Amino acid sequence: MAWNEHRQTKAVADDITVVRTAVIGVAAAAQGYTYSGEVRGRYESQLAFQVSGKIIKRNVELGNVISAGDVLMQIDPKDIQQTVNSNSAQVYSAESQVRLAESNLNRYRQLYEQGAVGRMAYDQYVNAYEVAVATVRQASAQYAQGANQLDYSLLRADKPGVISGITVEIGQVVSAGQSVLTIVQDGEREVEISVPENRIEELRKAQQIKVAFWALSNVTVDGKVREIAPMADPATRTYKVRISLLNPPPEMKLGMTAAVAVLGGDSRQTVTIPLASIYQNGDTPAVWVVSGDAITLRPIKTGNFGDGTIQVLQGLQQGDRIVTAGVHKLKEGQKVKAGGESL
């Protein structure tokens, strides 16, 4: 009889599973999101030639620092030069016609004053002179326009900055107004992020914005929203947002990757549990909750992911004890012995 009781007691002990558990605690946390961004210049210029032609020279590379007035690119000026030469010849011809018309006018003025010719004949030479003068002005204007186009064959920087983009190469034929270079002007730097349309209003009401840089460890600066694009990108359906940096670090460079943390104004009680605690039951996540010496499966609603953790929005309360390891080896109502820590 004693042997049977000992065997039954041992069997009950063997049925009890030791599990690692944790007691749920709550913490006040502000709702927020983190966006990946890129350091950009506040003022960026897309440069283009004002005339069409074939590119024959490129004097800059990506990342070059330039000054105002520097020649960045040049297109073949041969055709434009021929136009300027033609216009110059027209100016000389028109000036010659003016001198001839002026000489004829002077002679006929004398004849008119002497009564040798009539008023009508004299008026014809006055009109011829005025037409010749107007022709000189027209030819001079065409020559000036051609000279300007010849100067436009050189693409010059209008302001100092850094070359951040080159879209053409030597030998390529470009049209007037086609963007060939992007210049980030000297001055303020900011971070550009893309925000989904359902979070735009939250961004407008953000109480705090923190910006960190992947290449600069332990560097975090405050930021503020400077600009929100009025229209969403047609491909990504997100809005471009520019974040101004209040105290940008001197080590910050164009193109660096930044993480922009946007914290909202409302705080709420949040629960965060290890990812290993999740028992996926179909499409519904759940956790094993220890009640007395047994466990029961409880569905939960999850939120944002963290570093090996996940936020629980519904289903758990402060003081609940959950299983944090080996959850897929357990079954409903199983006897367990709990041990663990607080979350």
Side-chain angles (χ1 to χ4, degrees), residues 1 12 21-22 52 72 77 93 137 146 172 193 215 229 263 274 288 297-298 334 341:
M1 186 71 176
V12 171
T21 63
S52 303
L72 310 178
S93 175
R137 292 175 180 172
Q172 186 172 340
I193 60 176
L263 302 179
W288 290 109
L297 194 62
R298 182 183 299 177
Q334 184 174 344
E341 56 189 12

Side-chain angles (χ1 to χ4, degrees), residues 50-51 75 96 116 123 125 127 156 159-160 177 189 216 249 251 257 267 292 297:
Q50 294 180 250
V51 292
I75 62 174
S96 177
D123 288 343
Y125 284 93
N127 183 68
R156 302 178 187 273
K159 292 182 179 180
R189 299 287 185 259
L216 304 176
E251 304 89 353
T257 301
S267 297
L297 194 62

